[in-house]
Amino acid sequence: QPALTQPASVSGSPGQSITISCTGTSSDIGGYDYVSWYQQHPGKAPILIIYDVSNRPSGVSDRFSASKSDNTASLTISGLRTEDEADYYCSSYTNTRIFEVFGGGTKVTVL
Amino acid sequence: EVQLVQSGAEVKKPGESVKISCKTSGYSFTNYWITWIRQMPGKGLEWMGRIDPTDSYTDYNPSFQGHFTMSIDKSVSTAYLQRSSLKASDTAISYCARHLWENWSEDSWGQGTLLTVSS
């Protein structure tokens, strides 16, 4: 059972915006601003697209934005494109012996 | 350019051992921890543990401790993940990744190594 809870799937039409939620606890998301998001295309390694809750690494499209409120983080993809079809994972630092936890992943489908 | 290049896919029988490598380049190897992450077939990501290349200090996910061993060879800027007494349930992709302390994320990943355990 993943420590962070994400919806299994989210879909949208090209050009639309979608939001993926990621719910944890006060031991992880709620307690620290160390939330990251990763994009994973089929058969590929994950890529970091958001760190520190809402920051984008160099080269990541500004169509990706993220935020956090209490124990829930959110990733928004604006202007949805076919190349955004992928699995998206949230992660967070946790003050337990595991140190880092992931969500179960959300499959984004562009209709 | 930061690169992490992992060893190729492995097919093993139950009870055998495996050692997966993660060769790094393009940065100072001892300045960043290496994280190992597992992905079972069709499943999500799981944090297995991390190792400090400076002194080989490790932290293991309790769920994995005793099942895997992480190690380092500084002379060749390479991290290793070793597993003995393999079981069919060990079939998975393992990723190594460079860990950023300042924002607790993994900014560069290896391509993944698929381990298949089957009799």
Side-chain angles (χ1 to χ4, degrees):
Chain A
Q1 189 78 353
L4 305 179
T5 302
Q6 296 181 235
S9 63
V10 173
S11 62
S13 299
Q16 286 187 330
S17 293
I18 60 169
T19 297
I20 302 167
S21 62
C22 172
T23 302
T25 69
S26 58
S27 294
D28 39 67
I29 292 176
Y32 306 91
D33 286 336
Y34 289 136
V35 179
S36 302
W37 289 89
Y38 300 88
Q39 178 192 61
Q40 185 181 35
H41 286 106
K44 301 294 186 181
I47 297 171
L48 178 66
I49 58 172
I50 295 288
Y51 65 92
D52 285 351
V53 176
S54 60
N55 293 307
R56 286 185 307 275
S58 174
V60 173
S61 171
D62 59 5
R63 297 185 300 104
F64 294 94
S65 61
S67 62
K68 185 189 86 165
S69 177
D70 297 327
N71 296 339
T72 298
S74 299
L75 173 72
T76 297
I77 309 175
S78 305
L80 204 57
R81 298 179 180 177
T82 55
E83 60 259 36
D84 297 331
E85 274 206 351
D87 293 324
Y88 292 83
Y89 293 91
C90 59
S91 77
S92 173
Y93 169 80
T94 172
N95 62 12
T96 67
R97 284 193 59 197
I98 299 178
F99 294 107
E100 186 168 348
V101 287
F102 287 94
T106 298
K107 182 176 182 60
V108 169
T109 302
V110 181
L111 302 171
Chain B
E1 179 192 6
V2 174
Q3 286 193 315
L4 291 84
V5 179
Q6 298 182 227
S7 49
E10 300 268 10
V11 179
K12 297 290 184 181
K13 295 187 184 317
E16 292 185 336
S17 300
V18 69
K19 190 171 186 178
I20 296 167
S21 66
C22 171
K23 183 168 178 58
T24 72
S25 61
Y27 72 97
S28 178
F29 181 59
T30 54
N31 283 358
Y32 299 86
W33 289 51
I34 294 291
T35 299
W36 286 94
I37 294 149
R38 184 178 81 168
Q39 187 168 37
M40 299 182 75
K43 300 298 184 182
L45 305 173
E46 298 174 274
W47 187 85
M48 300 175 68
R50 63 182 185 195
I51 184 166
D52 182 350
T54 303
D55 57 8
S56 294
Y57 177 83
T58 54
D59 281 310
Y60 288 92
N61 181 329
S63 297
F64 292 92
Q65 191 149 17
H67 297 275
F68 295 90
T69 302
M70 297 179 288
S71 61
I72 291 286
D73 186 341
K74 284 192 287 188
S75 68
V76 288
S77 300
T78 300
Y80 300 93
L81 183 69
Q82 189 167 0
R83 171 79 165 106
S84 57
S85 303
L86 288 166
K87 305 175 184 178
S89 58
D90 289 320
T91 294
I93 297 173
S94 295
Y95 292 101
C96 62
R98 189 177 79 161
H99 178 78
L100 296 184
W101 270 101
E102 58 266 35
N103 49 52
W104 215 267
S105 63
E106 277 64 42
D107 71 330
S108 296
W109 293 60
Q111 81 276 22
T113 297
L114 173 62
L115 168 64
T116 302
V117 183
S118 174
S119 55

